[in-house]
Amino acid sequence: MKVPFSWLKEYVDIDITAEELEKRLFGCGFEVEELIDLSAEIDKVVVGVVTVCEPIEGTHLTKCKIDCGSYGKDIQIATHAPNVYVGMHTAAALDGSTLPGGVKIKAKPLRGVDSFGMMCSGEELGLNDDLFPGSEVYGLIDLPKDTEPGTDICKVVGLDDYIFDISVTANRPDCQSVLGIAREVAAILGKPVKMPSLDYTVSGDIDFKANITVEAPDLCPRYIGHTVHDIKFEQSPAWMRRYLALCGIRGISNIVDITNFIMLELGQPMHAFDLDLLEEKRIVVRRAGEGEKITTLDTKEFTLNPNNLVICDGKKPVALAGVMGGLNSGINENTKNLLFESAKFMRDNIRKTARSLGQNTDASSFYEKGISEYTTELAIKRALHLIQELGCGRIAPEGCDVSAGAPRTGKNFDVKISDISDILGIEVPAADIVRILKSLCFEVTENGDVLNVTAPRWREDIEIGTPDIAEEIIREYGYEHVTPTFLKDAAVTSGGLTAEQQTRGKMKRVMCGLGCYEVSTLGFYSDADLDLVRIAPDAPERNVIRLINPISANLTIMRSILVPSLLNVVVNNIKRGNMEGRIFELSNTYVPKQQPVAELPDEVPHLCFAAFGDGEDFFTMKGITEGIADAFGLTFDYRRAENAPYLHPGISADIICCGKKIGSFGKLANEVLGTLDLVKDSRDSFSIFLGEIDYKAMSELFPAVMRYKPISENPSVLRDLALVADESTLCGDIVSEIKAACSFVHSAELFDIYRGGQVAEGRKSMAFKIEFVPEDKALTQDDINKFVENILTRLKEKLGIEIR
């Protein structure tokens, strides 16, 4: 937010430079993203008084003599401005001067007449009528006659000022205003805050009180309304328009400017309704009906639902709460009576409404961060004071304050000074603790080591007592006082990674060795991502944790599987021209223990990997899984994939370890591939392969100790078997049965499949190369024959397979 230095000085007697204040603000936790010096681009531009004006014959120019005080009493400048006259006080940019935008002014002749500078308009100085009245006139800026020649122009037109562009963190909504920052500045400097005037006088002859009802107190804890009558629409005073302009807001009219001024000054968005346009002269705050419509001040029409909060009159919506007023109740130059609104709306509701409707406004940005009920109360009084100060209306004797039990006192805590020191790791003198808290407007009562502390009503971020109080103390006391030390219960350890961390590190190294790059994605996505990979509505993966206040509509749930996240990475790479690659991610998935969620979820690590581009196929993925198995001393079996709707049913497999399914891999289903936002050529020529393993389940099967097993000194023996099986028999099932039939089988690989006249219809011939590895002694021919006989017997019994 932007805070003018001159505006801050209205509330605090600041006796340090803007540069020094920037450092002090940073020291107590406020990042000044930029300190803007309004005079930085202007140099050697001063007040000049025109003493002579002579038209130059045959041109539109006027030759003038300018009195610029100490810079020269008789400086000649030629100008084409139509409004120049003798005695005029204006801005003179002298030879060698600089104007906004880096414009350099040098002496040079104009139409043969020497000109030693330039007289300036308000626009050339970067001004408008709000910053300095008369700046937008066509011609030279006409300065007051009491300005001294030679005075720096920045001091005269108010450009000798600074703008603090401060990044206010989400936990300090009380500082999203000039007064909020002024409170912090006062604490830094040890000076009191000069509060803005809140007094006003009501008109006794007005007998009207606003009629306000709040039907959704959970979304609107406090709503204050007050009527003002006999409105006079005029231009706001120069001081108000200048402060608004410094913050980037143009003046409109006195009533509108008052609401904008209070939003910046106090951090409370306000709205003014035309009272005569409200049906039944009443306000009702309620949830919108399903399909209810409203047209806002910017002429946009919105269709609402019960998640949206609306302000209604006796019959219809007249404003979208916390976002924007309705076109049917806005004030205009004909308005005679108005109703001021100052309300506290729940920030999560305003944020969801603004984002879902795509209607983000200045008001919604304030409400999204949070407004205290104290600020709501303060703002209505300030608005009525300004109405009276500007003389633009008569104030009704009574307002209407509807509260859903909003607190009228700050939060109260008992804190121990010793506990504060334990948290900070340093001893802060008790006197300094009390001084700092009081400077921040906390009420403090001392009782030995115990302090009874009451937070200001506007500090709704103070919630958990001692830790929050300790944070307030150290940011004002100074982080430079903190010295390195062990925590109270700290102990010296040998350091190093835990066994689990070492195993994870090894897994990542193995994946990199298999040609994969590690990626890291957010732990959130949306239901649309699960829809994309065709997860059924009743599938376990749909049991997710939903975020109450999501960052965006695309990040609404915590992920239950990693496939959608990795698929999005693949798609983004292809869109950006990276047409091939292998990637992996080892991250947590989140499984709620119950619904609705009442405790922290189980965090289950999963390993997900993907391959895409020319040359990648099913066997790439199988090779990756075999590499994992070899590295961790496991044996994987494979079977046709089940319950993996995002994979091609004929080109995918489940991973079986110790009889337990731990994951799946295969080609992305054509139905999913067809819905991806890829160009046609790349979709036709591309195949995407994905795999996901339950890392937790797999790690539980890792052998406790991996021991070296020497290679047998005796030679292995190879045998080929041609088997005839039913067409539906899976290769993986045959391999499993071959290994189960003989413990000496090291591997069984399919190398040929035959279908034809020599094999019965509905049958196929499958040729396997089987490797037998001896243990203590060499295998004889009788041994091999016995092994083969056992294998054929088991295949016949289990799968109905015969030797060809």
Side-chain angles (χ1 to χ4, degrees), residues 200-210 224-229 338 380-381 384 388 393-401:
Y200 58 90
T201 303
V202 301
S203 297
D205 60 335
I206 300 175
D207 185 18
F208 186 87
K209 179 181 178 181
I224 305 175
H226 207 116
T227 59
V228 180
H229 302 264
L338 64 80
I380 196 72
K381 295 177 181 178
L384 298 177
Q388 181 174 298
R394 297 193 304 134
I395 304 168
E398 281 191 86
C400 186
D401 185 350

Side-chain angles (χ1 to χ4, degrees), residues 258-552:
I258 285 173
T259 60
N260 286 332
F261 183 83
I262 290 174
M263 180 175 68
L264 297 175
E265 181 187 41
L266 305 180
Q268 172 71 57
M270 296 188 68
H271 187 65
F273 295 100
D274 188 325
L275 186 61
D276 297 320
L277 296 179
L278 298 178
E279 298 280 355
E280 302 176 9
K281 298 290 193 293
R282 62 191 296 250
I283 286 290
V284 179
V285 184
R286 61 170 174 81
R287 295 175 183 271
E290 188 66 49
E292 194 167 20
K293 297 182 182 296
I294 186 173
T295 301
T296 50
L297 287 169
D298 56 0
T299 71
K300 295 179 181 178
E301 184 180 75
F302 297 98
T303 301
L304 310 177
N305 60 61
N307 294 323
N308 308 131
L309 186 68
V310 289
I311 313 300
C312 304
D313 60 14
K315 295 182 178 180
K316 62 186 181 300
V318 293
L320 194 54
V323 180
M324 186 177 287
L327 188 62
N328 55 5
S329 65
I331 60 173
N332 54 62
E333 65 276 6
N334 298 317
T335 298
K336 296 301 180 184
N337 306 296
L338 64 80
L339 170 68
F340 268 131
E341 167 195 280
S342 181
K344 173 182 173 67
F345 302 120
M346 299 309 291
R347 59 185 178 183
D348 56 334
N349 177 260
I350 301 303
R351 182 181 188 187
K352 290 176 181 178
T353 294
R355 296 206 173 192
S356 64
L357 299 179
Q359 186 75 341
N360 295 296
T361 62
D362 290 338
S364 68
S365 69
F366 277 84
Y367 278 116
E368 286 176 14
K369 296 186 180 86
I371 301 291
S372 71
E373 57 84 23
Y374 168 80
T375 305
T376 299
E377 177 184 304
L378 194 70
I380 196 72
K381 295 177 181 178
R382 181 62 169 160
L384 298 177
H385 169 85
L386 291 173
I387 285 286
Q388 181 174 298
E389 181 179 335
L390 273 55
C392 51
R394 297 193 304 134
I395 304 168
E398 281 191 86
C400 186
D401 185 350
V402 182
S403 172
R408 299 293 186 267
T409 58
K411 299 172 184 176
N412 183 269
F413 305 98
D414 283 334
V415 299
K416 291 184 178 181
I417 296 175
S418 56
D419 289 344
I420 292 174
S421 298
D422 288 343
I423 290 174
L424 300 179
I426 59 173
E427 293 290 337
V428 181
D432 285 331
I433 291 177
V434 173
R435 173 185 58 78
I436 290 170
L437 291 174
K438 288 184 175 180
S439 72
L440 293 169
C441 302
F442 288 76
E443 296 177 10
V444 183
T445 302
E446 300 180 66
N447 184 15
D449 186 49
V450 178
L451 301 178
N452 182 261
V453 179
T454 302
R457 288 170 62 194
W458 58 85
R459 290 299 303 274
E460 294 187 348
D461 60 300
I462 303 296
E463 295 181 345
I464 52 176
T466 304
D468 282 346
I469 298 300
E471 181 182 357
E472 295 298 302
I473 298 301
I474 194 57
R475 70 184 185 85
E476 293 291 338
Y477 188 63
Y479 293 103
E480 68 275 8
H481 291 96
V482 177
T483 56
T485 182
F486 280 115
L487 295 175
K488 183 178 180 180
D489 298 324
V492 177
T493 66
S494 59
L497 301 177
T498 64
E500 180 184 358
Q501 290 170 332
Q502 291 176 354
T503 302
R504 283 198 175 205
K506 178 181 177 181
M507 177 61 73
K508 291 181 179 182
R509 291 192 296 274
V510 168
M511 294 303 293
C512 291
L514 293 169
C516 299
Y517 288 90
E518 183 179 10
V519 300
S520 180
T521 61
L522 293 176
F524 317 105
Y525 45 58
S526 69
D527 290 295
D529 291 290
L530 292 177
D531 294 339
L532 175 65
V533 295
R534 305 194 305 166
I535 300 300
D538 59 348
E541 292 84 0
R542 293 283 186 174
N543 181 27
V544 296
I545 298 171
R546 301 191 175 277
L547 304 184
I548 295 175
N549 194 18
I551 299 172
S552 74

Side-chain angles (χ1 to χ4, degrees), residues 123-172:
E123 182 181 0
E124 288 165 332
L125 294 173
L127 299 172
N128 58 38
D129 280 346
D130 288 344
L131 288 170
F132 190 83
S135 296
E136 296 181 28
V137 68
Y138 179 67
L140 304 178
I141 187 170
D142 199 347
L143 302 174
K145 296 299 184 286
D146 59 354
T147 51
E148 289 290 328
T151 305
D152 187 341
I153 196 64
C154 292
K155 295 180 179 179
V156 176
V157 298
L159 291 177
D160 57 335
D161 203 350
Y162 293 85
I163 305 293
F164 292 84
D165 191 353
I166 302 174
S167 175
V168 179
T169 54
N171 67 317
R172 291 301 306 273

